[in-house]
Amino acid sequence: MLVNNNLYKKSSKSQKLRCEICANYCKIAEGNFGVCRQHKNINGELFDTSYGIVSSLSPDPIEKKPLHHFLPSTFTYSIGGFGCNMTCLHCQNYMISHEYDKNSRGIKITPETIVENAINYNCQSIAWTYNEPTIHLPFSKKTSMLARAKNLKVIYVTNGYFSQQSIEEILTFVDAFNIDLKSMSREFYKKVCGADLDVVLDNLKRVYMEGKHLEVTNLIINDYNDSIDEINQLCDFVANELGPEVPLHFSRAFPYYKMRDISPTNPEILFKAREIANEHGIENVHLGNI
C-alpha cells in the first residue's frame, strides 16, 4: 500500500526517502526498510508492506489494555500487527514486534471485516494493541474511520513515539490512549529502547491537552527504573504536567527477549509506587501483572 505523501519526503540529493510516520524519521535507501521493518522504499516511493496484515484479533475486556476508566466493563476488539519503532530489550511481545515472519504468520483482513467482527462480538470499541500501532497508520486510520462511522470508539495502546506529522492524523480518529512511559531517564530510553524520552513526554502532553482520554502505564524493572527518585519524578510529571485525574498503571516486569537475566519485579516496589503516586495526588492508581 502506497503511503500518503504527506508522511514521507523525497531527497533532491539522493534516492533515500525520509519516513515521517514516527519519531525515528528513518532515511530509507532504495529497496530498504526503516527501523520498524514495515515501510519500504520501492522505486522512490514509500510503501506500507503490512497493510491489511495482522498478527492477532481478539475481543478482550477493555481493562486488559489496560484502560480502567474508559467504557468500563465493556469489550474491545483488539487488533495486533507486526514490528515496532522501538527496540526495547525487555519487550513483552517480542514474538510479533521483533522476531516474526509476517508473510507466513500474518492474517490478511480488510478494514470492513475488522469492523464487522467488532460489531458481531458486541464490542463498543476497537483497540490497536499488542505491537506499536503508529507504524501501521494508513491501515489503522482507514479501519478506525469506518469503526467510528458505526459508533465504535477507537483506542491506541502505544509507546507514544509519534512524529509531529502522524500525531496530527492520529488525534483525528483516536478516542482513548494508553501510553507507555517507560522511564524518566533519557539514558534508559536511549540504551534500552533506542528512543528519545523527550518525544514521548511532549506527545503525552499533546494528547492530554487535546482532551483525549489518557491513561499511562509504567513497567517497573528491577535495577533499571525502580528507584524511589525516578518513581517520584514520574508521578510528578503525571500529576503536574498532565493532571492528577489521569489514571496511572504500574506493572510488573518478567524476564523476556534480551533481558532474560532480570528477576520478576518485586511486588513491594509496586506497592511503594502506588503509595508515592497517592502522595502526589494522583486519583486513580492501578497495579498490573501481580
Side-chain angles (χ1 to χ4, degrees):
M1 177 70 174
L2 182 64
V3 173
N4 191 314
N5 60 14
N6 72 318
L7 290 173
Y8 70 97
K9 288 182 179 177
K10 299 180 180 182
S11 171
S12 59
K13 298 180 180 179
S14 71
Q15 291 184 313
K16 289 184 178 180
L17 300 176
R18 183 179 191 251
C19 178
E20 298 184 344
I21 292 176
C22 85
N24 284 317
Y25 294 104
C26 295
K27 294 180 179 179
I28 308 173
E30 167 65 32
N32 289 350
F33 289 91
V35 169
C36 69
R37 293 188 289 166
Q38 310 306 307
H39 304 120
K40 187 175 184 180
N41 180 342
I42 302 176
N43 297 324
E45 303 288 352
L46 189 65
F47 282 80
D48 178 1
T49 63
S50 289
Y51 191 93
I53 301 174
V54 300
S55 63
S56 49
L57 298 159
S58 176
D60 288 322
I62 199 168
E63 288 80 7
K64 185 180 175 182
K65 294 306 93 192
L67 285 173
H68 286 208
H69 301 273
F70 184 77
L71 301 177
S73 301
T74 66
F75 276 75
T76 185
Y77 194 64
S78 298
I79 311 115
F82 292 96
C84 193
N85 56 353
M86 289 189 184
T87 54
C88 299
L89 302 179
H90 58 290
C91 182
Q92 308 287 289
N93 287 326
Y94 69 92
M95 297 80 70
I96 61 173
S97 295
H98 299 294
E99 297 180 359
Y100 61 87
D101 178 359
K102 69 187 175 205
N103 294 315
S104 63
R105 293 174 55 193
I107 303 164
K108 294 184 178 180
I109 194 166
T110 66
E112 291 80 4
T113 301
I114 288 176
V115 174
E116 182 181 345
N117 288 352
I119 293 170
N120 288 341
Y121 278 112
N122 295 317
C123 296
Q124 293 189 22
S125 59
I126 62 171
W128 300 95
T129 181
Y130 303 137
N131 82 310
E132 177 50 44
T134 308
I135 61 176
H136 305 296
L137 181 54
F139 186 60
S140 68
K141 181 177 181 179
K142 173 69 178 297
T143 308
S144 297
M145 296 302 285
L146 291 174
R148 287 167 66 94
K150 296 293 185 178
N151 296 317
L152 297 172
K153 299 296 185 181
V154 177
I155 296 163
Y156 253 35
V157 181
T158 172
N159 60 30
Y161 212 50
F162 316 127
S163 68
Q164 293 179 7
Q165 294 80 0
S166 66
I167 194 171
E168 298 298 333
E169 292 203 21
I170 290 166
L171 287 168
T172 66
F173 65 85
V174 177
D175 300 289
F177 294 80
N178 185 296
I179 299 180
D180 286 337
L181 180 52
K182 300 173 186 292
S183 170
M184 291 301 289
S185 163
R186 290 176 177 83
E187 183 179 14
F188 179 100
Y189 261 91
K190 183 178 180 179
K191 291 185 176 181
V192 177
C193 307
D196 183 344
L197 168 64
D198 291 329
V199 171
V200 178
L201 297 180
D202 287 345
N203 284 331
L204 277 161
K205 288 187 281 188
R206 176 69 190 281
V207 168
Y208 178 76
M209 290 300 294
E210 290 292 328
K212 298 293 183 177
H213 181 86
L214 172 63
E215 302 192 23
V216 175
T217 294
N218 175 234
L219 183 75
I220 298 181
I221 307 170
N222 290 340
D223 302 322
Y224 281 87
N225 63 350
D226 61 342
S227 72
I228 299 301
D229 181 61
E230 184 165 343
I231 294 170
N232 266 298
Q233 289 181 51
L234 189 143
C235 292
D236 184 70
F237 173 82
V238 171
N240 297 309
E241 298 293 330
L242 304 178
E245 78 282 5
V246 173
L248 177 57
H249 302 257
F250 291 108
S251 193
R252 191 180 184 208
F254 292 87
Y256 278 115
Y257 194 38
K258 296 181 179 180
M259 206 177 274
R260 295 184 182 274
D261 57 337
I262 66 169
S263 57
T265 309
N266 185 342
E268 291 301 320
I269 192 62
L270 272 73
F271 300 140
K272 182 62 178 178
R274 180 171 60 187
E275 179 183 323
I276 292 169
N278 289 334
E279 290 171 356
H280 279 77
I282 296 174
E283 297 167 9
N284 296 291
V285 187
H286 304 279
L287 305 184
N289 288 345
I290 59 168

